[in-house]
Amino acid sequence: IRMASIVFLFTFFFLFLTSSSNAQLSSTFYSTSCPVALSTIKSAIVQAVAADRRMAASLIRLHFHDCFVQGCDASVLLDEQASATSEQNALQNRGSLRGFNVIESAKANLETQCPGVVSCADILAVAARDASVEVSGPSWTVKLGRRDSTTANKDEAESDLPLFTSTLQEHISNFGRKGLNTRDLVALSGSHTIGQAQCFTFRDRIYNTGSDIDAGFATTRQSTCPATSGTGDGNLAPLDHVTPNVFDNVYFRNLIEKKGLLQSDQVLFSGGSTDSIVQEYNTNGATFRADFANAMVKMGDIDPLTGQNGIIRRVCSSLN
């Protein structure tokens, strides 16, 4: 009996440690430890988006590119000095990820008020929500309690992040591996209702014109994106040419009119399984907004480090 009791206590203790290390995220995680966390982050985001409207899209994208690699652990923020496999050097990130300074600013402010408490991963998650709100997008309740990784993974970034050449099936498979369905895929792609893309990402689409692109739209884009590779590669064009700085559902109308800037956007309305979702979101903006918010929460749940796993970085770009 005594041995059975010992075994029971050991098992209970082991389960307690296990459940503690896999603690669930909670919207009230910092209520006691850092009650100014959300307001401090919001202040930094409001200031950044007011100075540069495009920053809203960049911050949402930064959170997305974090969560799709090793989960939502701020691994994307580690620079090359901190990690030889910095995700910032991945093909999908190199020269295009922005917003690091905004996250670092928010982090520095929090470190003066609540040292070593708020993770960079959580700052990213809150920043994406606040950025959406600043450009008239939806809001959602952000679950908190993530911790930061001590590693980055450039190879995983290049294998798991979408490419501007991705096919619909590649999108579906890619998102599916992260626990996201086709509705999540289309809703999250709708973040391209704001932001801009570099010429090299859409050059082939606007010059190798086929039946899936509006001729007038292609001609207009050619005026700022030369046909010669290496010329004007970084020239920018809005992902949504109608309302590029407002979070709305016009992106989906663009796809229906064959005016998606990136091939990876246009494939969402190309006679495949996602056509009906695009049509639904084009018709009902409220449904799109609700689904986008739900998908962002779902994405934020991808493999977070919690409990005793990971660390709280003092500076987001480096290890403690």
Side-chain angles (χ1 to χ4, degrees), residues 39-229:
S39 60
T40 300
I41 297 169
K42 181 178 180 178
S43 178
I45 304 313
V46 169
Q47 183 178 354
V49 176
D52 176 8
R53 193 82 168 169
R54 181 185 166 210
M55 187 56 68
S58 298
L59 291 170
I60 292 172
R61 182 171 185 252
L62 196 56
H63 179 43
F64 174 86
H65 281 228
D66 178 41
C67 290
F68 261 54
V69 184
Q70 296 190 164
C72 307
D73 61 357
S75 59
V76 72
L77 302 180
L78 288 172
D79 62 22
E80 194 167 6
Q81 291 182 324
S83 172
T85 59
S86 175
E87 294 161 23
Q88 296 172 26
N89 295 325
L91 175 64
Q92 295 93 321
N93 294 333
R94 190 168 57 245
S96 65
L97 279 187
R98 303 170 72 242
F100 299 106
N101 59 321
V102 179
I103 302 301
E104 290 289 10
S105 176
K107 176 62 172 174
N109 291 339
L110 285 168
E111 284 299 299
T112 65
Q113 301 178 78
C114 315
V117 174
V118 182
S119 70
C120 299
D122 277 346
I123 295 173
L124 270 176
V126 175
R129 188 270 311 277
D130 291 347
S132 170
V133 172
E134 285 307 296
V135 289
S136 303
S139 183
W140 54 91
T141 300
V142 179
K143 292 189 282 185
L144 303 164
R146 301 169 190 81
R147 290 168 66 85
D148 301 324
S149 69
T150 56
T151 62
N153 195 324
K154 176 176 176 286
D155 291 341
E156 186 175 325
E158 294 191 334
S159 67
D160 287 13
L161 288 171
L163 289 160
F164 58 86
T165 55
S166 292
T167 65
L168 177 58
Q169 189 52 53
E170 286 169 341
H171 275 322
I172 292 171
S173 298
N174 199 7
F175 278 66
R177 286 195 297 271
K178 306 300 178 183
L180 301 171
N181 58 37
T182 54
R183 201 168 184 87
D184 300 323
L185 159 63
V186 179
L188 291 172
S189 296
S191 65
H192 284 183
T193 184
I194 53 175
Q196 301 186 57
Q198 298 181 63
C199 168
F200 79 92
T201 64
F202 58 86
R203 175 180 285 121
D204 286 348
R205 173 159 164 74
I206 63 174
Y207 284 101
N208 298 328
T209 55
S211 60
D212 68 340
I213 187 169
D214 177 84
F217 174 74
T219 300
T220 300
R221 293 279 68 89
Q222 289 170 8
S223 64
T224 55
C225 183
T228 305
S229 180

Side-chain angles (χ1 to χ4, degrees), residues 280-303:
E280 181 183 358
Y281 289 163
N282 175 57
T283 302
N284 195 326
T287 298
F288 162 55
R289 292 169 68 89
D291 284 0
F292 179 81
N294 290 334
M296 288 295 287
V297 172
K298 195 172 175 181
M299 185 183 77
D301 282 342
I302 298 175
D303 297 332

